[in-house]
Amino acid sequence: MISTTMLLSSLGARDRTLFLRWALPDSSRLARAFWTILTNAGGAAYSILAATLPFLAGGAFAEIGRHALAALVGSHLIVQLIKRTVGRPRPSRGVLTRALVAEPDRFSFPSGHAAAAMSVAFIYASAFPSLALPLVALAVGVGMSRVFLGVHYPGDVLIGQVIAVIAGVFVLHS
């Protein structure tokens, strides 16, 4: 059986290689501004707002908002538990690069921003299938922004998004 340490070490080497290809340490101010605005869509304020706005509309929208909020909270709890258990340092502490935005904490794995954006997008995409592609694309963009801005490895983002989808499926089927 492969140990968790060996698995994370193997994934870490691949993650570092991809990170060094994708991070934007010398990007233009315009590119940095675009990715910074996008990354904020996965932050706590915007994801909580996006999950709770349907309550104001009432009716069937309130149920969708309840689902979005439950998926957001559930995925966040899982992300924080894993972050504190694994303790993977952020790229700025493990690779010769610097973050282009403030790091919310010292742990990288998994990405909370990517999980937050995907958990809300997944619930809304399930409720409004015609909007699924732009919603999921926005969530994927939030995840990519975390790598481009130097605060997460690609694997952190991928696992954060997988956690969000699993939380969303659980919420919709419970």
Side-chain angles (χ1 to χ4, degrees):
M1 181 177 214
I2 298 175
S3 75
T4 304
T5 305
M6 287 176 50
L7 179 62
L8 287 176
S9 177
S10 174
L11 290 175
R14 288 186 176 94
D15 251 2
R16 282 188 296 281
T17 301
L18 281 175
F19 173 82
L20 290 171
R21 287 185 189 161
W22 294 352
L24 304 171
D26 299 321
S27 60
S28 70
R29 285 189 342 174
L30 182 62
R32 183 176 171 184
F34 170 78
W35 291 111
T36 300
I37 289 168
L38 186 58
T39 209
N40 287 329
Y46 288 106
S47 55
I48 291 169
L49 182 64
T52 57
L53 273 178
F55 290 117
L56 299 176
F61 291 111
E63 182 70 8
I64 295 166
R66 187 182 69 73
H67 286 154
L69 191 57
L72 178 62
V73 169
S75 66
H76 186 72
L77 290 174
I78 294 167
V79 163
Q80 291 305 313
L81 177 67
I82 294 171
K83 271 189 187 233
R84 299 320 182 241
T85 303
V86 173
R88 182 183 199 187
R90 290 197 181 266
S92 64
R93 298 163 197 253
V95 178
L96 297 175
T97 189
R98 65 182 175 85
L100 300 178
V101 292
E103 297 171 327
D105 59 31
R106 65 180 195 245
F107 301 120
S108 182
F109 181 84
S111 170
H113 278 70
M118 187 60 75
S119 63
V120 175
F122 180 81
I123 296 297
Y124 286 160
S126 298
F128 306 105
S130 63
L131 298 175
L133 184 60
L135 289 168
V136 171
L138 177 63
V140 168
V142 168
M144 290 174 56
S145 75
R146 303 305 286 167
V147 177
F148 294 159
L149 293 170
V151 292
H152 281 289
Y153 294 102
D156 302 339
V157 168
L158 177 64
I159 298 304
Q161 291 172 335
V162 167
I163 289 167
V165 170
I166 291 169
V169 168
F170 180 79
V171 165
L172 290 174
H173 292 80
S174 60

